[in-house]
């Protein structure tokens, strides 16, 4: 895939308005579940392992001996203890769980970082990003392929400036992560809302009315009868989205729609892990307390074998 093809694919993912959808589009950013396993510690700690490590990483521990699992867990605990005071708090554990669950985001950033840090100084400037992404279109910003690269570049620059906290037009890796994945950062949420509204607000009046809301999700394509889910979405708009009943969604109403305040699964799991492991009940964990309860946090050959025996007995 050459750069132009890549950019076309990227634009389809990030600039939603470029093609009219023919089926339901979900713009709501939900916090993902920590695991697809059932959370039942009486049966197994598989849910806790997935939550603490991420599902893919959790699988690697199942191949380790208990001693190897404890050793690796001890190294992880040192990373979780952000202030290096020898204790792991609920907040530190919550931050780690969120990191483990979103490891794919950081892996994506690493891949893109290599292609944009052109001078390899450990930073990505706007000029570097612009040249790496749009360089070949600068002489012909409106090529004959249906994509408005000039408009996309303006939008990217605005988002880059928002992510760039100190305003020097040079992004650290954390700022570059906020640029690529703005929905993950509180200070970037306004730009997520703004871009969404620009995509859907076809008459550019600064609001999203009912027909714009439906039109973003569904194209009639000559069909007179709407599917049931479209009728349900119309009801959702009137009853819940348009809170002030003025027939349209403003910025705050749009934010409530696409960035809902979800139940914090990571915090609930962090509190659960602390409660189950906190031997002296001081509300925080030492490395020793965590390693003593290692089978709650990570798997090993022993726990994997034990679960296999349980399954065998049930069979």
């Amino acid at each position: 895939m050459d750069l132009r093809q890549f950019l076309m694919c990227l634009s389809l993912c990030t600039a939603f308005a470029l093609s009219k959808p023919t089926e339901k589009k979900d713009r709501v950013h939900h916090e993902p579940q920590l695991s697809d396993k059932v959370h039942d510690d009486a049966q197994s700690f598989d849910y806790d392992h997935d939550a603490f490590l991420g599902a893919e990483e959790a699988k690697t521990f199942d191949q380790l001996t208990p001693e190897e699992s404890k050793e690796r867990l001890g190294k992880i605990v040192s990373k979780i203890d952000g202030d290096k005071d020898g204790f792991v708090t609920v907040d530190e554990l919550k931050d780690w769980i969120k990191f483990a669950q979103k490891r794919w985001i950081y892996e994506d950033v690493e891949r893109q970082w290599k292609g944009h840090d052109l001078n390899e100084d450990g930073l990505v400037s706007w000029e570097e990003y612009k040249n790496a992404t749009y360089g070949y279109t600068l002489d012909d910003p409106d090529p004959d392929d249906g994509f408005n690269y000039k408009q996309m570049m303006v939008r990217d620059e605005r988002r880059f400036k928002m992510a760039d906290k100190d305003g020097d037009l040079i992004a650290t890796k954390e700022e570059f992560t906020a640029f690529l994945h703005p929905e993950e950062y509180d200070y970037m949420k306004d730009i997520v809302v703004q871009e969404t509204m620009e995509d859907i607000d076809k008459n550019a009046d600064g609001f999203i009315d009912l027909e714009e809301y439906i039109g973003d999700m569904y194209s009639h394509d000559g069909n007179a009868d709407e599917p049931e889910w479209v009728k349900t979405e119309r009801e959702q708009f009137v009853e819940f989205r348009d809170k002030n009943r003025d027939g349209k969604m403003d910025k705050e109403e749009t934010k409530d729609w696409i960035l809902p305040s979800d139940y914090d699964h990571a915090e609930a799991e962090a509190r659960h892990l602390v409660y189950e492991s906190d031997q002296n009940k001081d509300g925080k964990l030492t490395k020793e307390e965590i390693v003593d309860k290692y089978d709650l946090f990570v798997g090993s050959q022993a726990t994997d074998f034990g679960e296999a025996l349980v399954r065998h007995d049930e069979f």
Side-chain angles (χ1 to χ4, degrees), residues 172-195:
T172 63
K173 191 165 287 187
E174 187 70 11
E175 290 170 335
F176 193 62
T177 304
F179 167 68
L180 293 176
H181 299 277
E183 70 282 353
E184 303 295 337
Y185 290 80
D186 285 340
Y187 81 99
M188 295 292 290
K189 287 184 177 179
D190 283 347
I191 201 75
V192 175
V193 174
Q194 184 177 356
E195 290 178 1

Side-chain angles (χ1 to χ4, degrees), residues 87 274-275 277-286 289:
F87 297 98
V274 169
Y275 177 80
S277 310
D278 185 15
Q279 296 174 12
N280 62 2
K281 302 303 177 185
D282 64 351
K284 53 191 176 183
L285 303 178
T286 63
E289 286 176 321

Side-chain angles (χ1 to χ4, degrees), residues 21-40:
T22 56
E23 58 185 27
K24 186 174 182 180
K25 177 188 296 179
D26 188 6
R27 289 187 178 271
V28 181
H29 299 279
H30 289 293
E31 284 290 319
Q33 295 290 322
L34 302 183
S35 173
D36 59 4
K37 313 275 192 344
V38 175
H39 195 181
D40 182 1

Side-chain angles (χ1 to χ4, degrees), residues 35-278:
S35 173
D36 59 4
K37 313 275 192 344
V38 175
H39 195 181
D40 182 1
D41 286 357
Q43 292 295 319
S44 79
F45 296 131
D46 287 347
Y47 178 96
D48 301 296
H49 299 167
D50 284 359
F52 182 70
L53 295 167
E56 291 304 312
E57 183 69 11
K59 293 176 184 176
T60 67
F61 274 77
D62 292 339
Q63 310 308 315
L64 304 178
T65 66
E67 291 72 25
E68 290 170 332
S69 283
K70 290 178 182 179
E71 182 180 355
R72 280 182 62 178
L73 176 59
K75 292 177 180 177
I76 291 174
V77 173
S78 298
K79 295 179 181 178
I80 299 173
D81 180 16
D83 57 10
K84 306 303 178 188
D85 66 348
F87 297 98
V88 170
T89 64
V90 169
D91 284 341
E92 287 173 329
L93 198 48
K94 178 182 73 173
D95 289 344
W96 168 262
I97 290 171
K98 289 189 172 184
F99 168 80
Q101 293 296 316
K102 295 173 180 176
R103 190 178 275 115
W104 69 270
I105 289 176
Y106 300 102
E107 291 172 351
D108 173 57
V109 171
E110 286 296 332
R111 284 192 298 270
Q112 298 209 43
W113 185 265
K114 294 173 184 175
H116 292 98
D117 181 13
L118 301 180
N119 63 4
E120 299 183 349
D121 66 346
L123 300 165
V124 172
S125 69
W126 167 247
E127 286 301 313
E128 283 180 308
Y129 180 82
K130 180 177 71 173
N131 290 331
T133 307
Y134 297 102
Y136 71 95
T137 69
L138 295 179
D139 295 331
D140 183 18
D142 295 307
D144 209 16
D145 60 9
F147 292 95
N148 188 333
Y149 294 105
K150 184 176 182 180
Q151 184 180 36
M152 290 164 60
M153 186 166 63
V154 168
R155 179 164 161 151
D156 273 354
E157 184 175 12
R158 182 182 64 192
R159 189 197 284 190
F160 193 98
K161 288 179 177 178
M162 179 73 77
D164 175 31
K165 284 186 170 182
D166 57 10
D168 61 357
L169 286 180
I170 299 174
T172 63
K173 191 165 287 187
E174 187 70 11
E175 290 170 335
F176 193 62
T177 304
F179 167 68
L180 293 176
H181 299 277
E183 70 282 353
E184 303 295 337
Y185 290 80
D186 285 340
Y187 81 99
M188 295 292 290
K189 287 184 177 179
D190 283 347
I191 201 75
V192 175
V193 174
Q194 184 177 356
E195 290 178 1
T196 301
M197 293 191 74
E198 288 172 352
D199 289 344
I200 304 175
D201 177 21
K202 301 305 181 185
N203 63 8
D205 66 349
F207 299 93
I208 298 174
D209 62 36
L210 176 57
E211 293 311 314
E212 289 170 332
Y213 174 79
I214 295 298
D216 180 61
M217 301 179 181
Y218 174 73
S219 174
H220 285 274
D221 283 339
N223 296 325
D225 295 330
E226 292 180 337
E228 279 301 315
W229 70 261
V230 175
K231 296 175 184 177
T232 300
E233 284 296 340
R234 288 185 180 277
E235 295 170 1
Q236 290 283 320
F237 183 94
V238 173
E239 295 297 324
F240 302 107
R241 311 278 185 246
D242 177 21
K243 297 182 186 299
N244 62 6
R245 301 292 195 271
D246 65 352
K248 55 195 176 184
M249 287 195 297
D250 58 24
K251 181 178 177 181
E252 285 305 311
E253 289 168 329
T254 302
K255 185 176 182 179
D256 289 343
W257 166 43
I258 65 171
L259 297 169
S261 299
D262 286 340
Y263 174 74
D264 196 332
H265 296 280
E267 180 171 356
E269 177 65 9
R271 292 188 180 280
H272 167 66
L273 293 175
V274 169
Y275 177 80
E276 293 294 335
S277 310
D278 185 15

Side-chain angles (χ1 to χ4, degrees), residues 295-309:
D295 58 339
L296 172 65
F297 291 85
V298 300
S300 70
Q301 291 173 351
T303 54
D304 199 39
F305 179 67
E307 288 165 15
L309 286 178

